[in-house]
PDB file of all heavy atoms in Angstrom:
ATOM      1  N   ALA A   1       0.827  -1.202   0.000  1.00  0.00           N
ATOM      2  CA  ALA A   1       0.000   0.000   0.000  1.00  0.00           C
ATOM      3  C   ALA A   1       0.864   1.257   0.000  1.00  0.00           C
ATOM      4  O   ALA A   1       0.545   2.250  -0.685  1.00  0.00           O
ATOM      5  CB  ALA A   1      -0.928  -0.010   1.222  1.00  0.00           C
ATOM      6  N   ALA A   2       1.954   1.242   0.753  1.00  0.00           N
ATOM      7  CA  ALA A   2       2.840   2.399   0.798  1.00  0.00           C
ATOM      8  C   ALA A   2       3.413   2.694  -0.581  1.00  0.00           C
ATOM      9  O   ALA A   2       3.482   3.858  -1.006  1.00  0.00           O
ATOM     10  CB  ALA A   2       3.968   2.154   1.801  1.00  0.00           C
ATOM     11  N   PHE A   3       3.792   1.657  -1.300  1.00  0.00           N
ATOM     12  CA  PHE A   3       4.346   1.884  -2.634  1.00  0.00           C
ATOM     13  C   PHE A   3       3.240   2.315  -3.606  1.00  0.00           C
ATOM     14  O   PHE A   3       3.483   3.126  -4.507  1.00  0.00           O
ATOM     15  CB  PHE A   3       5.052   0.624  -3.142  1.00  0.00           C
ATOM     16  CG  PHE A   3       6.078   0.908  -4.202  1.00  0.00           C
ATOM     17  CD1 PHE A   3       7.313   1.430  -3.865  1.00  0.00           C
ATOM     18  CD2 PHE A   3       5.802   0.682  -5.546  1.00  0.00           C
ATOM     19  CE1 PHE A   3       8.258   1.721  -4.844  1.00  0.00           C
ATOM     20  CE2 PHE A   3       6.734   0.963  -6.521  1.00  0.00           C
ATOM     21  CZ  PHE A   3       7.964   1.486  -6.164  1.00  0.00           C
ATOM     22  N   HIS A   4       2.049   1.808  -3.404  1.00  0.00           N
ATOM     23  CA  HIS A   4       0.930   2.198  -4.262  1.00  0.00           C
ATOM     24  C   HIS A   4       0.621   3.686  -4.111  1.00  0.00           C
ATOM     25  O   HIS A   4       0.443   4.401  -5.111  1.00  0.00           O
ATOM     26  CB  HIS A   4      -0.294   1.365  -3.902  1.00  0.00           C
ATOM     27  CG  HIS A   4      -1.554   1.791  -4.597  1.00  0.00           C
ATOM     28  ND1 HIS A   4      -1.750   1.634  -5.956  1.00  0.00           N
ATOM     29  CD2 HIS A   4      -2.700   2.373  -4.121  1.00  0.00           C
ATOM     30  CE1 HIS A   4      -2.950   2.099  -6.290  1.00  0.00           C
ATOM     31  NE2 HIS A   4      -3.540   2.552  -5.199  1.00  0.00           N
ATOM     32  N   TYR A   5       0.563   4.165  -2.886  1.00  0.00           N
ATOM     33  CA  TYR A   5       0.152   5.552  -2.656  1.00  0.00           C
ATOM     34  C   TYR A   5       1.321   6.541  -2.692  1.00  0.00           C
ATOM     35  O   TYR A   5       1.150   7.697  -3.105  1.00  0.00           O
ATOM     36  CB  TYR A   5      -0.551   5.665  -1.306  1.00  0.00           C
ATOM     37  CG  TYR A   5      -1.934   5.050  -1.308  1.00  0.00           C
ATOM     38  CD1 TYR A   5      -2.180   3.841  -0.652  1.00  0.00           C
ATOM     39  CD2 TYR A   5      -2.994   5.655  -1.986  1.00  0.00           C
ATOM     40  CE1 TYR A   5      -3.440   3.268  -0.654  1.00  0.00           C
ATOM     41  CE2 TYR A   5      -4.259   5.085  -2.002  1.00  0.00           C
ATOM     42  CZ  TYR A   5      -4.482   3.897  -1.324  1.00  0.00           C
ATOM     43  OH  TYR A   5      -5.730   3.328  -1.339  1.00  0.00           O
ATOM     44  N   TRP A   6       2.487   6.121  -2.253  1.00  0.00           N
ATOM     45  CA  TRP A   6       3.606   7.057  -2.138  1.00  0.00           C
ATOM     46  C   TRP A   6       4.695   6.840  -3.185  1.00  0.00           C
ATOM     47  O   TRP A   6       5.583   7.676  -3.330  1.00  0.00           O
ATOM     48  CB  TRP A   6       4.230   6.951  -0.744  1.00  0.00           C
ATOM     49  CG  TRP A   6       3.309   7.369   0.365  1.00  0.00           C
ATOM     50  CD1 TRP A   6       2.325   8.315   0.307  1.00  0.00           C
ATOM     51  CD2 TRP A   6       3.295   6.850   1.708  1.00  0.00           C
ATOM     52  NE1 TRP A   6       1.711   8.432   1.525  1.00  0.00           N
ATOM     53  CE2 TRP A   6       2.279   7.540   2.410  1.00  0.00           C
ATOM     54  CE3 TRP A   6       4.041   5.888   2.384  1.00  0.00           C
ATOM     55  CZ2 TRP A   6       1.986   7.288   3.753  1.00  0.00           C
ATOM     56  CZ3 TRP A   6       3.759   5.629   3.721  1.00  0.00           C
ATOM     57  CH2 TRP A   6       2.742   6.334   4.398  1.00  0.00           C
ATOM     58  N   GLY A   7       4.669   5.722  -3.884  1.00  0.00           N
ATOM     59  CA  GLY A   7       5.716   5.447  -4.866  1.00  0.00           C
ATOM     60  C   GLY A   7       7.082   5.363  -4.207  1.00  0.00           C
ATOM     61  O   GLY A   7       7.221   4.917  -3.065  1.00  0.00           O
ATOM     62  N   GLU A   8       8.091   5.830  -4.909  1.00  0.00           N
ATOM     63  CA  GLU A   8       9.460   5.744  -4.386  1.00  0.00           C
ATOM     64  C   GLU A   8       9.645   6.569  -3.119  1.00  0.00           C
ATOM     65  O   GLU A   8      10.567   6.323  -2.327  1.00  0.00           O
ATOM     66  CB  GLU A   8      10.460   6.202  -5.442  1.00  0.00           C
ATOM     67  CG  GLU A   8      10.327   7.668  -5.823  1.00  0.00           C
ATOM     68  CD  GLU A   8      11.211   8.053  -6.978  1.00  0.00           C
ATOM     69  OE1 GLU A   8      10.916   7.656  -8.107  1.00  0.00           O
ATOM     70  OE2 GLU A   8      12.229   8.732  -6.723  1.00  0.00           O
ATOM     71  N   ALA A   9       8.775   7.548  -2.883  1.00  0.00           N
ATOM     72  CA  ALA A   9       8.860   8.347  -1.662  1.00  0.00           C
ATOM     73  C   ALA A   9       8.581   7.515  -0.416  1.00  0.00           C
ATOM     74  O   ALA A   9       8.847   7.957   0.705  1.00  0.00           O
ATOM     75  CB  ALA A   9       7.885   9.521  -1.738  1.00  0.00           C
ATOM     76  N   ALA A  10       8.041   6.302  -0.600  1.00  0.00           N
ATOM     77  CA  ALA A  10       7.798   5.419   0.541  1.00  0.00           C
ATOM     78  C   ALA A  10       9.095   4.884   1.127  1.00  0.00           C
ATOM     79  O   ALA A  10       9.166   4.583   2.330  1.00  0.00           O
ATOM     80  CB  ALA A  10       6.909   4.253   0.124  1.00  0.00           C
ATOM     81  N   LEU A  11      10.135   4.764   0.309  1.00  0.00           N
ATOM     82  CA  LEU A  11      11.340   4.059   0.738  1.00  0.00           C
ATOM     83  C   LEU A  11      11.983   4.659   1.988  1.00  0.00           C
ATOM     84  O   LEU A  11      12.301   3.917   2.933  1.00  0.00           O
ATOM     85  CB  LEU A  11      12.342   3.979  -0.416  1.00  0.00           C
ATOM     86  CG  LEU A  11      11.854   3.178  -1.635  1.00  0.00           C
ATOM     87  CD1 LEU A  11      12.868   3.247  -2.768  1.00  0.00           C
ATOM     88  CD2 LEU A  11      11.590   1.728  -1.256  1.00  0.00           C
ATOM     89  N   PRO A  12      12.209   5.978   2.062  1.00  0.00           N
ATOM     90  CA  PRO A  12      12.822   6.523   3.282  1.00  0.00           C
ATOM     91  C   PRO A  12      11.930   6.412   4.514  1.00  0.00           C
ATOM     92  O   PRO A  12      12.416   6.587   5.637  1.00  0.00           O
ATOM     93  CB  PRO A  12      13.061   7.999   2.921  1.00  0.00           C
ATOM     94  CG  PRO A  12      12.991   8.069   1.435  1.00  0.00           C
ATOM     95  CD  PRO A  12      12.025   7.012   1.040  1.00  0.00           C
ATOM     96  N   ARG A  13      10.658   6.116   4.329  1.00  0.00           N
ATOM     97  CA  ARG A  13       9.739   6.028   5.460  1.00  0.00           C
ATOM     98  C   ARG A  13       9.704   4.621   6.054  1.00  0.00           C
ATOM     99  O   ARG A  13       9.095   4.406   7.107  1.00  0.00           O
ATOM    100  CB  ARG A  13       8.327   6.429   5.012  1.00  0.00           C
ATOM    101  CG  ARG A  13       8.295   7.818   4.408  1.00  0.00           C
ATOM    102  CD  ARG A  13       6.998   8.110   3.677  1.00  0.00           C
ATOM    103  NE  ARG A  13       5.975   8.678   4.555  1.00  0.00           N
ATOM    104  CZ  ARG A  13       4.965   9.428   4.118  1.00  0.00           C
ATOM    105  NH1 ARG A  13       4.848   9.712   2.832  1.00  0.00           N
ATOM    106  NH2 ARG A  13       4.079   9.896   4.966  1.00  0.00           N
ATOM    107  N   LEU A  14      10.338   3.669   5.378  1.00  0.00           N
ATOM    108  CA  LEU A  14      10.326   2.278   5.829  1.00  0.00           C
ATOM    109  C   LEU A  14      11.439   2.060   6.848  1.00  0.00           C
ATOM    110  O   LEU A  14      12.618   2.127   6.506  1.00  0.00           O
ATOM    111  CB  LEU A  14      10.508   1.324   4.651  1.00  0.00           C
ATOM    112  CG  LEU A  14       9.509   1.463   3.498  1.00  0.00           C
ATOM    113  CD1 LEU A  14       9.868   0.503   2.374  1.00  0.00           C
ATOM    114  CD2 LEU A  14       8.076   1.224   3.973  1.00  0.00           C
ATOM    115  N   ARG A  15      11.071   1.791   8.080  1.00  0.00           N
ATOM    116  CA  ARG A  15      12.057   1.537   9.131  1.00  0.00           C
ATOM    117  C   ARG A  15      12.227   0.029   9.255  1.00  0.00           C
ATOM    118  O   ARG A  15      11.407  -0.661   9.861  1.00  0.00           O
ATOM    119  CB  ARG A  15      11.581   2.141  10.451  1.00  0.00           C
ATOM    120  CG  ARG A  15      12.618   2.100  11.559  1.00  0.00           C
ATOM    121  CD  ARG A  15      12.140   2.828  12.813  1.00  0.00           C
ATOM    122  NE  ARG A  15      13.195   2.942  13.791  1.00  0.00           N
ATOM    123  CZ  ARG A  15      13.061   3.571  14.958  1.00  0.00           C
ATOM    124  NH1 ARG A  15      11.892   4.130  15.280  1.00  0.00           N
ATOM    125  NH2 ARG A  15      14.067   3.636  15.805  1.00  0.00           N
ATOM    126  N   GLY A  16      13.279  -0.469   8.640  1.00  0.00           N
ATOM    127  CA  GLY A  16      13.457  -1.904   8.689  1.00  0.00           C
ATOM    128  C   GLY A  16      14.478  -2.400   7.697  1.00  0.00           C
ATOM    129  O   GLY A  16      15.342  -1.652   7.225  1.00  0.00           O
ATOM    130  N   MET A  17      14.387  -3.684   7.382  1.00  0.00           N
ATOM    131  CA  MET A  17      15.276  -4.320   6.410  1.00  0.00           C
ATOM    132  C   MET A  17      14.385  -4.918   5.335  1.00  0.00           C
ATOM    133  O   MET A  17      13.351  -5.522   5.630  1.00  0.00           O
ATOM    134  CB  MET A  17      16.125  -5.401   7.077  1.00  0.00           C
ATOM    135  CG  MET A  17      15.350  -6.449   7.846  1.00  0.00           C
ATOM    136  SD  MET A  17      16.451  -7.623   8.677  1.00  0.00           S
ATOM    137  CE  MET A  17      15.261  -8.742   9.414  1.00  0.00           C
ATOM    138  N   PHE A  18      14.789  -4.738   4.083  1.00  0.00           N
ATOM    139  CA  PHE A  18      13.896  -5.221   3.040  1.00  0.00           C
ATOM    140  C   PHE A  18      14.584  -5.357   1.695  1.00  0.00           C
ATOM    141  O   PHE A  18      15.565  -4.673   1.385  1.00  0.00           O
ATOM    142  CB  PHE A  18      12.695  -4.276   2.881  1.00  0.00           C
ATOM    143  CG  PHE A  18      13.062  -2.844   2.562  1.00  0.00           C
ATOM    144  CD1 PHE A  18      13.312  -2.427   1.268  1.00  0.00           C
ATOM    145  CD2 PHE A  18      13.152  -1.906   3.578  1.00  0.00           C
ATOM    146  CE1 PHE A  18      13.647  -1.108   0.986  1.00  0.00           C
ATOM    147  CE2 PHE A  18      13.487  -0.582   3.318  1.00  0.00           C
ATOM    148  CZ  PHE A  18      13.731  -0.184   2.007  1.00  0.00           C
ATOM    149  N   ALA A  19      14.047  -6.266   0.924  1.00  0.00           N
ATOM    150  CA  ALA A  19      14.258  -6.342  -0.521  1.00  0.00           C
ATOM    151  C   ALA A  19      12.900  -6.745  -1.073  1.00  0.00           C
ATOM    152  O   ALA A  19      12.305  -7.713  -0.599  1.00  0.00           O
ATOM    153  CB  ALA A  19      15.327  -7.363  -0.875  1.00  0.00           C
ATOM    154  N   PHE A  20      12.383  -5.997  -2.017  1.00  0.00           N
ATOM    155  CA  PHE A  20      11.061  -6.328  -2.538  1.00  0.00           C
ATOM    156  C   PHE A  20      11.010  -6.117  -4.043  1.00  0.00           C
ATOM    157  O   PHE A  20      11.812  -5.380  -4.627  1.00  0.00           O
ATOM    158  CB  PHE A  20       9.957  -5.520  -1.838  1.00  0.00           C
ATOM    159  CG  PHE A  20       9.920  -4.049  -2.189  1.00  0.00           C
ATOM    160  CD1 PHE A  20       9.255  -3.582  -3.318  1.00  0.00           C
ATOM    161  CD2 PHE A  20      10.518  -3.119  -1.350  1.00  0.00           C
ATOM    162  CE1 PHE A  20       9.205  -2.233  -3.628  1.00  0.00           C
ATOM    163  CE2 PHE A  20      10.477  -1.766  -1.649  1.00  0.00           C
ATOM    164  CZ  PHE A  20       9.816  -1.318  -2.798  1.00  0.00           C
ATOM    165  N   VAL A  21      10.044  -6.801  -4.658  1.00  0.00           N
ATOM    166  CA  VAL A  21       9.757  -6.656  -6.084  1.00  0.00           C
ATOM    167  C   VAL A  21       8.269  -6.376  -6.214  1.00  0.00           C
ATOM    168  O   VAL A  21       7.444  -7.108  -5.654  1.00  0.00           O
ATOM    169  CB  VAL A  21      10.119  -7.931  -6.871  1.00  0.00           C
ATOM    170  CG1 VAL A  21       9.842  -7.723  -8.362  1.00  0.00           C
ATOM    171  CG2 VAL A  21      11.575  -8.316  -6.638  1.00  0.00           C
ATOM    172  N   ALA A  22       7.927  -5.318  -6.936  1.00  0.00           N
ATOM    173  CA  ALA A  22       6.527  -4.931  -7.144  1.00  0.00           C
ATOM    174  C   ALA A  22       6.268  -4.814  -8.642  1.00  0.00           C
ATOM    175  O   ALA A  22       6.985  -4.081  -9.341  1.00  0.00           O
ATOM    176  CB  ALA A  22       6.233  -3.601  -6.445  1.00  0.00           C
ATOM    177  N   TYR A  23       5.268  -5.532  -9.126  1.00  0.00           N
ATOM    178  CA  TYR A  23       4.927  -5.510 -10.547  1.00  0.00           C
ATOM    179  C   TYR A  23       3.643  -4.719 -10.739  1.00  0.00           C
ATOM    180  O   TYR A  23       2.598  -5.027 -10.160  1.00  0.00           O
ATOM    181  CB  TYR A  23       4.762  -6.931 -11.067  1.00  0.00           C
ATOM    182  CG  TYR A  23       4.445  -7.009 -12.544  1.00  0.00           C
ATOM    183  CD1 TYR A  23       5.198  -6.305 -13.479  1.00  0.00           C
ATOM    184  CD2 TYR A  23       3.394  -7.807 -13.001  1.00  0.00           C
ATOM    185  CE1 TYR A  23       4.917  -6.384 -14.842  1.00  0.00           C
ATOM    186  CE2 TYR A  23       3.115  -7.903 -14.363  1.00  0.00           C
ATOM    187  CZ  TYR A  23       3.872  -7.179 -15.271  1.00  0.00           C
ATOM    188  OH  TYR A  23       3.590  -7.249 -16.616  1.00  0.00           O
ATOM    189  N   ASP A  24       3.750  -3.682 -11.558  1.00  0.00           N
ATOM    190  CA  ASP A  24       2.606  -2.833 -11.891  1.00  0.00           C
ATOM    191  C   ASP A  24       1.950  -3.402 -13.145  1.00  0.00           C
ATOM    192  O   ASP A  24       2.475  -3.262 -14.259  1.00  0.00           O
ATOM    193  CB  ASP A  24       3.095  -1.400 -12.126  1.00  0.00           C
ATOM    194  CG  ASP A  24       1.954  -0.422 -12.363  1.00  0.00           C
ATOM    195  OD1 ASP A  24       0.817  -0.876 -12.622  1.00  0.00           O
ATOM    196  OD2 ASP A  24       2.210   0.802 -12.307  1.00  0.00           O
ATOM    197  N   HIS A  25       0.797  -4.028 -12.992  1.00  0.00           N
ATOM    198  CA  HIS A  25       0.130  -4.671 -14.124  1.00  0.00           C
ATOM    199  C   HIS A  25      -0.382  -3.658 -15.139  1.00  0.00           C
ATOM    200  O   HIS A  25      -0.509  -3.980 -16.324  1.00  0.00           O
ATOM    201  CB  HIS A  25      -1.022  -5.542 -13.616  1.00  0.00           C
ATOM    202  CG  HIS A  25      -0.582  -6.713 -12.810  1.00  0.00           C
ATOM    203  ND1 HIS A  25      -0.262  -7.929 -13.353  1.00  0.00           N
ATOM    204  CD2 HIS A  25      -0.377  -6.850 -11.469  1.00  0.00           C
ATOM    205  CE1 HIS A  25       0.098  -8.771 -12.400  1.00  0.00           C
ATOM    206  NE2 HIS A  25       0.042  -8.139 -11.237  1.00  0.00           N
ATOM    207  N   ARG A  26      -0.671  -2.451 -14.730  1.00  0.00           N
ATOM    208  CA  ARG A  26      -1.194  -1.450 -15.661  1.00  0.00           C
ATOM    209  C   ARG A  26      -0.148  -1.027 -16.682  1.00  0.00           C
ATOM    210  O   ARG A  26      -0.459  -0.794 -17.844  1.00  0.00           O
ATOM    211  CB  ARG A  26      -1.673  -0.219 -14.894  1.00  0.00           C
ATOM    212  CG  ARG A  26      -2.917  -0.441 -14.058  1.00  0.00           C
ATOM    213  CD  ARG A  26      -3.375   0.873 -13.438  1.00  0.00           C
ATOM    214  NE  ARG A  26      -4.436   0.660 -12.460  1.00  0.00           N
ATOM    215  CZ  ARG A  26      -4.930   1.621 -11.688  1.00  0.00           C
ATOM    216  NH1 ARG A  26      -4.455   2.867 -11.793  1.00  0.00           N
ATOM    217  NH2 ARG A  26      -5.886   1.351 -10.820  1.00  0.00           N
ATOM    218  N   THR A  27       1.089  -0.904 -16.224  1.00  0.00           N
ATOM    219  CA  THR A  27       2.148  -0.397 -17.104  1.00  0.00           C
ATOM    220  C   THR A  27       3.171  -1.470 -17.473  1.00  0.00           C
ATOM    221  O   THR A  27       4.137  -1.167 -18.171  1.00  0.00           O
ATOM    222  CB  THR A  27       2.881   0.764 -16.423  1.00  0.00           C
ATOM    223  OG1 THR A  27       3.504   0.287 -15.217  1.00  0.00           O
ATOM    224  CG2 THR A  27       1.916   1.894 -16.079  1.00  0.00           C
ATOM    225  N   ALA A  28       2.975  -2.716 -16.991  1.00  0.00           N
ATOM    226  CA  ALA A  28       3.928  -3.811 -17.218  1.00  0.00           C
ATOM    227  C   ALA A  28       5.336  -3.398 -16.780  1.00  0.00           C
ATOM    228  O   ALA A  28       6.320  -3.659 -17.464  1.00  0.00           O
ATOM    229  CB  ALA A  28       3.927  -4.238 -18.685  1.00  0.00           C
ATOM    230  N   THR A  29       5.408  -2.741 -15.628  1.00  0.00           N
ATOM    231  CA  THR A  29       6.678  -2.232 -15.112  1.00  0.00           C
ATOM    232  C   THR A  29       7.032  -2.919 -13.805  1.00  0.00           C
ATOM    233  O   THR A  29       6.176  -3.094 -12.928  1.00  0.00           O
ATOM    234  CB  THR A  29       6.599  -0.710 -14.879  1.00  0.00           C
ATOM    235  OG1 THR A  29       6.258  -0.069 -16.104  1.00  0.00           O
ATOM    236  CG2 THR A  29       7.919  -0.169 -14.376  1.00  0.00           C
ATOM    237  N   VAL A  30       8.302  -3.309 -13.686  1.00  0.00           N
ATOM    238  CA  VAL A  30       8.822  -3.893 -12.450  1.00  0.00           C
ATOM    239  C   VAL A  30       9.510  -2.800 -11.643  1.00  0.00           C
ATOM    240  O   VAL A  30      10.332  -2.043 -12.173  1.00  0.00           O
ATOM    241  CB  VAL A  30       9.824  -5.024 -12.743  1.00  0.00           C
ATOM    242  CG1 VAL A  30      10.454  -5.537 -11.440  1.00  0.00           C
ATOM    243  CG2 VAL A  30       9.148  -6.158 -13.493  1.00  0.00           C
ATOM    244  N   HIS A  31       9.172  -2.722 -10.365  1.00  0.00           N
ATOM    245  CA  HIS A  31       9.875  -1.861  -9.419  1.00  0.00           C
ATOM    246  C   HIS A  31      10.480  -2.773  -8.352  1.00  0.00           C
ATOM    247  O   HIS A  31       9.821  -3.710  -7.879  1.00  0.00           O
ATOM    248  CB  HIS A  31       8.920  -0.873  -8.758  1.00  0.00           C
ATOM    249  CG  HIS A  31       8.235   0.056  -9.711  1.00  0.00           C
ATOM    250  ND1 HIS A  31       8.734   1.307 -10.026  1.00  0.00           N
ATOM    251  CD2 HIS A  31       7.095  -0.089 -10.434  1.00  0.00           C
ATOM    252  CE1 HIS A  31       7.921   1.894 -10.890  1.00  0.00           C
ATOM    253  NE2 HIS A  31       6.922   1.064 -11.162  1.00  0.00           N
ATOM    254  N   ALA A  32      11.704  -2.504  -7.983  1.00  0.00           N
ATOM    255  CA  ALA A  32      12.349  -3.295  -6.926  1.00  0.00           C
ATOM    256  C   ALA A  32      13.254  -2.372  -6.121  1.00  0.00           C
ATOM    257  O   ALA A  32      13.714  -1.342  -6.621  1.00  0.00           O
ATOM    258  CB  ALA A  32      13.154  -4.452  -7.513  1.00  0.00           C
ATOM    259  N   ALA A  33      13.516  -2.741  -4.882  1.00  0.00           N
ATOM    260  CA  ALA A  33      14.377  -1.912  -4.033  1.00  0.00           C
ATOM    261  C   ALA A  33      15.024  -2.765  -2.967  1.00  0.00           C
ATOM    262  O   ALA A  33      14.523  -3.835  -2.591  1.00  0.00           O
ATOM    263  CB  ALA A  33      13.579  -0.779  -3.393  1.00  0.00           C
TER     264      ALA A  33
END
């Protein structure tokens, strides 16, 4: 939800450890961080 609403601006707000992959079906675009 954070990536859906905030996009890349969500990343600095995440307090933790992570690696994720998000696929946007509308644009056929992969986002990962």
Side-chain angles (χ1 to χ4, degrees):
F3 203 77
H4 173 69
Y5 287 107
W6 295 329
E8 65 187 72
L11 297 176
R13 303 167 89 156
L14 304 177
R15 188 175 188 178
M17 54 183 182
F18 58 84
F20 71 85
V21 182
Y23 182 49
D24 185 345
H25 294 272
R26 291 185 189 174
T27 62
T29 302
V30 175
H31 299 267

